[in-house]
Structure formats: C-alpha cells, structure tokens
C-alpha cells in the first residue's frame, strides 16, 4: 500500500536500472518525469482471445518505457515522448469511459516506470466504481518490490519474455540485466496470480471474431498470466531457449503466447537517432518471418507440448502497425478510439 508515492520518484529506483534521480526535476532512462502521461486509450481487439473476449480490451498506452527496444512498433510513445499529462481524476474518467464502452478489462500498456502512481490511481478507479479487471501489459523489466504495489488491483498479467541472452538484450534493449529481471518478475506474477478463466455467453450485437464461432460462449481470463514471446528473425535459438524456460517454469500455471509478427518499422526520427537504431538492429535480421521459420517454430511448439499456448498464423500484412500521431492509431477493425493526447 502506498501512502505517498512522491518519495519513490525523488530517488527513483522503480525499475532495475535504479537511476536514483529526482524525477520531479529531471528524467532518467525512461525519459519521463513524475508526471503520468498517456498517448491513447480505446477498445483493442488484437490481444489474445482470453483478453479481448467480446467487448475488446480497454487499453491505456502510457508514454515512456524502461527499455529501448530497437525494433519497437510503439516508439513514438515509448521512446520519443508522444503523450499528455493526466491527473488522477482524468485517469479515473478514462477507466470509467472504457468500462461504459464495453471493455472486458482495463489494459495498462507499458507503465513499468510509473507503478507507484498507477497503483494510487487504480485504487481511485476502484473507489469510483470501476468493476472490470485490471490488466498489466509490460516488458517484465520490473522489480518484484514495485510489482508488490499492484497486488490487490491487477489480476491479469501480460508480460513479455523477450530473450534470455544478456548480450542480445544489451544490444537491442540497452538492458543486459533484462533476462534476470524479467524471469524474476514473471515468476512472481505466476506465483501470485493463479489462472482463473470463465465462460461468457455471447451478448446481443457481439462483434464477430475470426477465431470464434458465432453465437457461442467465449472464454474470459479473470486472473492469471499470459507470457508473450516475440520470435526475432534469425534468432531461432533464442526462442528455443525461452520456450525451454517456460516449459519448466510456467507450463500448466500460465498461458504461453508465441508471436511471429515481427515487422520492420519505418522510423520517423532524426538522422542521429536512426543511425543509432540501425546499429542496434544490425544484431538481428530486420525482416518479416519466413515460411520456413514459421514451420520450424511450429515443430518446436509440438515438441514442447504446452498445456495452453496461443500461436498466430503467419501473415505478411503490415497494416496493423500503429501511428500514434493519429487519433485512430490502428485500423478500425483493430481498435475503437476513446481518448487521444
């Protein structure tokens, strides 16, 4: 429980980087001050079926990030500062609006650098009458001490497990300690949030979904963890190592979501920023996933035989890439906007 979150910003050690700077007067690696900023909020229909269900996931995209992933599709907000400051009252209003619009949950995207303030705001949202589950959607580059602050508020967790290779995480994310921090955070999430899934009957005028039979109930996650891993082209061994760790530490206690949607991004940045990004991206093959890689991944999945795993069909469609400078960053099929910075 937090009585005063200010002290956690005055000597900031919220993420594993432990910058120890005063975020009331300057910014650390996350490039964010003590002000909580948001870029977009709306109903999102591109998450895993257990999270999207019928009404879509009520996503809130925070500005800033504890990582600097060279290939980040959300770089405009995670790295380049797009967003607007919101206070507690406006945050609560956004949550209430998402719930009124039919959201299945409030999906908090990339808030690792603001956990104390978000926990405070979540308490206010509950007090204001928000009843749907809160969902934590992050890179897992977090400390267990900070995650403890979200206990009692967040019940659904969507962490990434990007890689277990310190050298790769150093070059691509500027975080050599990522594997240790992420596996500790994910282990905590799994230990504290047992899987709870309910079957929900189809409501009137439900939005059709390609993955669901019309008129049939759909499963909805109320509690638990979905661990996401994005296959990085040319790094099959990284995915094999991650799946091996997940088989030992998560199978049967969490859901695995293996993604093959790696897509090169057309970054709109200064020449200096692009030069640095290009250097980092030289550590992988910056291209779409091939059919052969997709086949090899499916063989790997079959060999591990996970109890509950999602895997996407391979597609060369890149139209889903967001542009957060627009009021509707996504396609109309993928999202319904409710708030924009």
């Amino acid at each position: 429980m937090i009585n005063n979150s200010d002290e956690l910003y005055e000597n900031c050690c919220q993420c594993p980087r432990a910058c120890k700077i005063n975020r009331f007067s300057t910014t650390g690696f996350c490039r964010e001050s003590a002000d909580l900023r948001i870029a977009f909020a709306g109903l999102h229909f591109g998450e895993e079926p257990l999270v999207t269900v019928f009404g879509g996931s009520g996503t809130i995209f925070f500005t800033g990030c504890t990582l600097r992933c060279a290939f980040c599709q959300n770089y405009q907000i995670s790295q380049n500062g797009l967003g607007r400051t919101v206070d507690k009252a406006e945050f609560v209003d956004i949550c209430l609006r998402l719930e009124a619009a039919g959201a299945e949950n409030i999906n908090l995207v990339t808030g690792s650098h603001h956990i104390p303030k978000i926990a405070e705001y979540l308490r206010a949202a509950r007090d204001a009458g928000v009843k749907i589950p809160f969902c934590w959607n992050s890179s897992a580059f977090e400390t267990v001490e900070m995650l403890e602050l979200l206990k009692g508020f967040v019940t659904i967790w969507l962490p990434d497990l990007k890689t277990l290779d310190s050298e790769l995480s150093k070059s691509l994310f500027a975080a050599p300690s990522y594997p240790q921090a992420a596996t500790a955070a994910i282990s905590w999430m799994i230990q504290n949030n047992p899987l709870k899934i309910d079957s929900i009957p189809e409501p009137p005028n439900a939005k059709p979904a390609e993955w669901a039979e019309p008129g049939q109930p759909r499963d909805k996650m109320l509690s638990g963890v979905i661990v996401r891993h994005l296959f990085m082209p040319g790094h099959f061994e990284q995915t094999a190592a991650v799946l091996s760790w997940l088989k030992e530490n998560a199978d049967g206690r969490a859901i695995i979501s293996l993604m093959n949607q790696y897509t090169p991004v057309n970054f709109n940045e200064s020449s200096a920023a692009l030069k640095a990004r290009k250097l980092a991206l030289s550590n992988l093959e910056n291209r779409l996933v091939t059919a052969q890689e997709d086949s090899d991944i499916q063989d790997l999945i079959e060999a591990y035989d996970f109890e509950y795993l999602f895997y996407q069909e391979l597609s060369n469609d890149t139209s889903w890439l967001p542009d957060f400078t627009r009021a509707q960053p996504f396609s109309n099929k993928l999202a319904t906007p409710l708030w924009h910075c």
Side-chain angles (χ1 to χ4, degrees):
M1 182 175 291
I2 303 171
N3 295 319
N4 182 7
S5 64
D6 287 359
E7 61 190 47
L8 295 173
Y9 286 84
E10 290 169 351
N11 184 37
C12 189
C13 294
Q14 290 185 41
C15 85
R17 295 186 190 278
C19 294
K20 296 185 178 181
I21 52 92
N22 185 343
R23 286 171 61 183
F24 288 100
S25 57
T26 187
T27 61
F29 184 91
C30 65
R31 300 179 177 175
E32 291 300 302
S33 69
D35 293 329
L36 184 69
R37 298 199 298 148
I38 292 173
F40 170 84
L43 301 176
H44 200 289
F45 296 91
E47 305 285 35
E48 287 82 0
L50 289 172
V51 179
T52 301
V53 202
F54 290 107
S57 187
T59 49
I60 299 177
F61 285 81
F62 296 99
T63 305
C65 185
T66 60
L67 293 183
R68 204 159 290 163
C69 297
F71 50 81
C72 182
Q73 68 192 45
N74 297 342
Y75 77 100
Q76 295 163 315
I77 59 176
S78 64
Q79 299 171 20
N80 291 357
L82 181 66
R84 177 169 70 76
T85 298
V86 297
D87 60 14
K88 187 188 300 183
E90 187 169 12
F91 178 87
V92 170
D93 180 65
I94 290 170
C95 292
L96 288 168
R97 288 176 60 191
L98 288 168
E99 184 170 38
E104 303 284 356
N105 45 66
I106 305 294
N107 189 337
L108 308 158
V109 184
T110 316
S112 308
H113 51 296
H114 270 302
I115 289 179
K117 189 159 285 187
I118 292 173
E120 180 185 327
Y121 287 13
L122 295 184
R123 181 185 297 112
R126 281 282 182 250
D127 291 344
V130 174
K131 295 181 174 60
I132 56 178
F134 288 114
C135 171
W136 190 253
N137 188 334
S138 78
S139 69
F141 191 56
E142 296 153 331
T143 69
V144 168
E145 291 77 16
M146 285 295 104
L147 295 177
E148 286 280 351
L149 300 181
L150 297 171
K151 241 182 184 180
F153 300 116
V154 173
T155 57
I156 302 170
W157 303 78
L158 305 178
D160 293 337
L161 185 54
K162 297 175 182 292
T163 182
L164 296 175
D165 187 311
S166 294
E167 285 301 313
L168 190 63
S169 59
K170 178 182 179 180
S171 60
L172 289 177
F173 319 141
S177 65
Y178 175 83
Q180 294 77 23
T183 51
I186 291 169
S187 296
W188 179 92
M189 293 173 190
I190 293 172
Q191 181 179 349
N192 288 277
N193 298 273
L195 284 172
K196 184 178 179 183
I197 298 170
D198 204 359
S199 181
I200 307 298
E202 182 178 284
N205 303 316
K207 185 181 179 74
E210 295 175 359
W211 45 266
E213 289 286 335
Q216 297 301 308
R218 298 181 192 174
D219 286 345
K220 176 178 180 176
M221 176 177 273
L222 303 176
S223 171
V225 182
I226 300 177
V227 185
R228 294 166 161 176
H229 172 70
L230 174 66
F231 171 74
M232 291 180 282
H235 283 284
F236 182 82
E237 72 284 358
Q238 299 295 330
T239 291
V242 167
L243 290 183
S244 180
W245 188 91
L246 290 172
K247 182 65 179 180
E248 181 178 349
N249 295 279
D251 192 27
R253 296 189 295 145
I255 292 165
I256 313 305
S257 182
L258 184 52
M259 301 178 290
N260 61 15
Q261 64 187 30
Y262 182 94
T263 305
V265 177
N266 184 22
F267 296 101
N268 183 15
E269 297 178 303
S270 68
S271 57
L274 286 172
K275 182 178 180 181
R277 195 179 292 279
K278 184 177 180 181
L279 179 63
L281 286 171
S282 67
N283 291 282
L284 54 74
E285 297 176 23
N286 190 30
R287 55 169 174 76
L288 295 173
V289 174
T290 67
Q292 183 59 57
E293 286 173 324
D294 178 63
S295 176
D296 291 342
I297 293 169
Q298 292 192 49
D299 288 344
L300 192 62
I301 291 170
E302 187 175 343
Y304 277 114
D305 190 27
F306 283 97
E307 187 171 319
Y308 207 143
L309 179 142
F310 290 114
Y311 184 63
Q312 300 167 308
E313 289 187 11
L314 186 64
S315 171
N316 61 4
D317 178 20
T318 62
S319 63
W320 57 269
L321 282 172
D323 180 359
F324 286 96
T325 64
R326 305 181 313 196
Q328 167 57 299
F330 306 94
S331 70
N332 290 330
K333 178 182 178 182
L334 200 58
T336 303
L338 270 80
W339 186 100
H340 187 262
C341 61

